């Protein structure tokens, strides 16, 4: 795969306090890469360094083949769209009027405004003022502003933060459609379920460190659900469960009992079978580590938010 964005040995200190500690990330063309971490973990600082809004203490960013600290690299930034913090729209203007201001500043055409609004499913020349928009509509307009110049790379800092479920769904569908159109996207969030629904890969940021990267396709294929049943008489347990409707092909043995690879099997139903038949069981547990569980494990046991 072609690397669109490479972050190499990135460090950032404010006075003597480290904010980023030797971050290395490669983002491939056409993928959605999610930065996951608690507030203050360093996600926004990474994005600001990529965009040239703050300078790194050490390390560099290679964007579309160019070092962003060079004059050529600064020119490459024209191919990037972004939302960092809240966009400065005028509440007493319509969506079209707001975007026309930004289009003129950047030298974009009026047609680019029409196309961007169409992509985010907002009407052109609508009379509704920005101040009357819902949070979801405001965020879609912010994304329209970020993609108006057809960037190759889109950087979104917490784009779903504060949205209601409808707004989250709107923005999620929009981001997916942008990826389908070939845009490479870097998105940060502390809302894990949404990154799971969006990202191809997730980098876990904690206390300024990139502590792990997860390929979600591999995670979902390898992290199978299973019910472990600890028994001494494994074959008798398999026979009993088979007679009571559990597919024998979904059962396998391990050194202390059997495991059932079927996420629809309920522990309560298994317990009823064993109790009814007076079958001795040493224990039954569900075994599947969620990304939430994994995040807490690798970051010291605290919640994400």
């Amino acid at each position: 795969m072609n690397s669109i964005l490479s972050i190499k040995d990135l460090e950032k200190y404010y006075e003597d306090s480290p904010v980023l500690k030797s971050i290395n990330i490669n983002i491939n063309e056409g993928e959605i890469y999610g930065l996951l971490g608690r507030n203050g973990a360093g996600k926004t600082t990474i994005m600001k360094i990529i965009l040239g809004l703050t300078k790194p203490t050490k390390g560099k960013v290679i964007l579309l083949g160019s070092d962003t600290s060079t004059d050529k690299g600064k020119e490459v930034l024209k191919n990037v769209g972004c939302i960092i913090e809240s966009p400065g729209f005028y509440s007493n203007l319509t969506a079209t009027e707001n975007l026309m201001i930004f289009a003129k500043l950047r030298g974009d055409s009026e047609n680019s405004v029409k196309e961007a609004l169409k992509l985010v499913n907002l009407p052109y020349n609508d009379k509704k003022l920005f101040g009357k928009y819902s949070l979801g509509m405001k965020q879609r307009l912010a994304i329209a502003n970020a993609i108006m110049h057809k960037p190759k790379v889109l950087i979104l800092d917490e784009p779903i933060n504060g949205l209601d479920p409808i707004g989250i769904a709107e923005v999620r569908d929009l981001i997916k459609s942008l990826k389908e159109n070939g845009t490479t996207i870097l998105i940060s969030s502390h809302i894990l379920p949404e990154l799971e629904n969006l990202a191809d890969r997730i980098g876990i940021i904690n206390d300024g460190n990139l502590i792990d990267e997860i390929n979600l396709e591999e995670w979902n294929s390898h992290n199978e659900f299973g019910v472990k049943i600890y028994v001494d008489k494994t074959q008798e347990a398999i026979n009993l469960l088979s007679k009571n409707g559990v597919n024998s092909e979904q059962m396998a043995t391990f050194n202390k009992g059997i495991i059932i690879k079927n996420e629809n099997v309920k522990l309560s139903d298994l317990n009823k079978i064993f109790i009814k038949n007076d079958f001795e069981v040493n224990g039954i547990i569900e075994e599947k580590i969620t990304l939430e569980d994994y995040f807490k494990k690798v970051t010291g046991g605290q919640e994400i938010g």
Side-chain angles (χ1 to χ4, degrees):
M1 290 187 179
N2 294 329
S3 178
I4 289 291
L5 176 62
S6 294
I7 299 169
K8 299 179 181 293
D9 300 320
L10 202 63
E11 296 183 8
K12 179 64 178 178
Y13 284 76
Y14 288 109
E15 296 181 351
D16 293 329
S17 299
V19 178
L20 298 177
K21 307 166 188 175
S22 194
I23 301 291
N24 287 277
I25 295 173
N26 279 300
I27 300 176
N28 299 315
E29 184 177 6
E31 79 171 335
I32 299 177
Y33 188 100
L35 291 176
L36 175 67
R38 303 184 187 94
N39 291 328
K43 306 185 300 296
T44 301
T45 302
I46 291 172
M47 291 181 161
K48 285 183 175 180
I49 290 174
I50 294 169
L51 294 166
L53 299 176
T54 187
K55 292 183 178 180
T57 304
K58 182 183 176 183
K60 60 184 177 179
V61 174
I62 306 298
L63 177 64
L64 298 169
S66 296
D67 185 337
T68 56
S69 66
T70 65
D71 290 339
K72 183 181 178 182
K74 291 180 174 66
E75 286 296 310
V76 166
L77 286 171
K78 293 178 180 178
N79 294 298
V80 179
C82 69
I83 300 177
I84 302 289
E85 299 172 349
S86 300
F89 292 127
Y90 294 99
S91 61
N92 61 332
L93 297 181
T94 67
T96 300
E97 290 168 339
N98 269 293
L99 289 193
M100 285 300 296
I101 292 172
F102 285 96
K104 288 178 181 178
L105 289 172
R106 289 193 295 224
D108 294 332
S109 66
E110 182 177 350
N111 192 55
S112 68
V113 174
K114 292 181 181 179
E115 290 179 357
L117 288 171
K118 183 179 180 180
L119 274 174
V120 302
N121 199 26
L122 289 175
Y124 179 74
N125 270 343
D126 186 34
K127 301 301 181 184
K128 190 171 186 176
L129 300 180
F130 176 76
K132 301 293 184 181
Y133 272 19
S134 67
L135 281 174
M137 293 173 70
K138 288 178 178 178
Q139 202 67 346
R140 280 191 283 149
L141 183 61
I143 294 175
N145 187 38
I147 63 174
M148 196 160 47
H149 58 303
K150 296 182 174 62
K152 295 180 180 179
V153 178
L154 185 60
I155 295 177
L156 304 173
D157 187 24
E158 301 277 4
I160 55 178
N161 196 24
L163 298 184
D164 60 21
I166 293 175
I168 289 173
E170 289 175 346
V171 173
R172 180 202 309 136
D173 292 343
L174 173 57
I175 293 171
K176 286 181 177 179
S177 70
L178 291 170
K179 178 197 171 180
E180 289 171 2
N181 288 329
T183 307
T184 302
I185 301 169
L186 173 63
I187 178 173
S188 74
S189 184
H190 62 272
I191 305 174
L192 177 52
E194 283 310 311
L195 282 189
E196 282 189 87
N197 285 328
L198 281 171
D200 299 297
R201 289 188 296 141
I202 291 176
I204 299 177
I205 306 293
N206 189 59
D207 193 27
N209 293 293
L210 176 68
I211 58 176
D212 202 358
E213 279 189 326
I214 297 170
N215 181 308
L216 285 173
E217 184 177 354
E218 292 178 1
W219 172 273
N220 290 327
S221 63
H222 293 157
N223 189 34
E224 295 180 351
F225 178 90
V227 176
K228 279 189 173 180
I229 304 171
Y230 293 85
V231 292
D232 296 324
K233 302 175 181 178
T234 55
Q235 190 56 52
E236 289 182 23
I238 289 173
N239 294 339
L240 176 61
L241 292 172
S242 297
K243 290 178 182 178
N244 285 272
V246 180
N247 189 339
S248 60
E249 293 182 358
Q250 296 175 332
M251 290 186 276
T253 61
F254 69 104
N255 60 345
K256 293 184 180 180
I258 61 175
I259 183 168
I260 303 174
K261 297 286 187 178
N262 185 337
E263 61 184 16
N264 295 316
V265 171
K266 297 180 180 179
L267 267 65
S268 58
D269 292 338
L270 295 174
N271 275 318
K272 288 177 184 177
I273 293 171
F274 291 126
I275 291 171
K276 181 179 179 181
N277 291 275
D278 196 26
F279 192 93
E280 186 174 348
V281 175
N282 300 321
I284 304 178
I285 62 169
E286 287 184 342
E287 188 171 83
K288 181 179 181 180
I289 183 169
T290 65
L291 273 178
E292 178 84 26
D293 293 333
Y294 183 72
F295 179 90
K296 288 188 283 188
K297 177 182 178 181
V298 298
T299 59
Q302 298 180 33
E303 299 291 339
I304 296 177

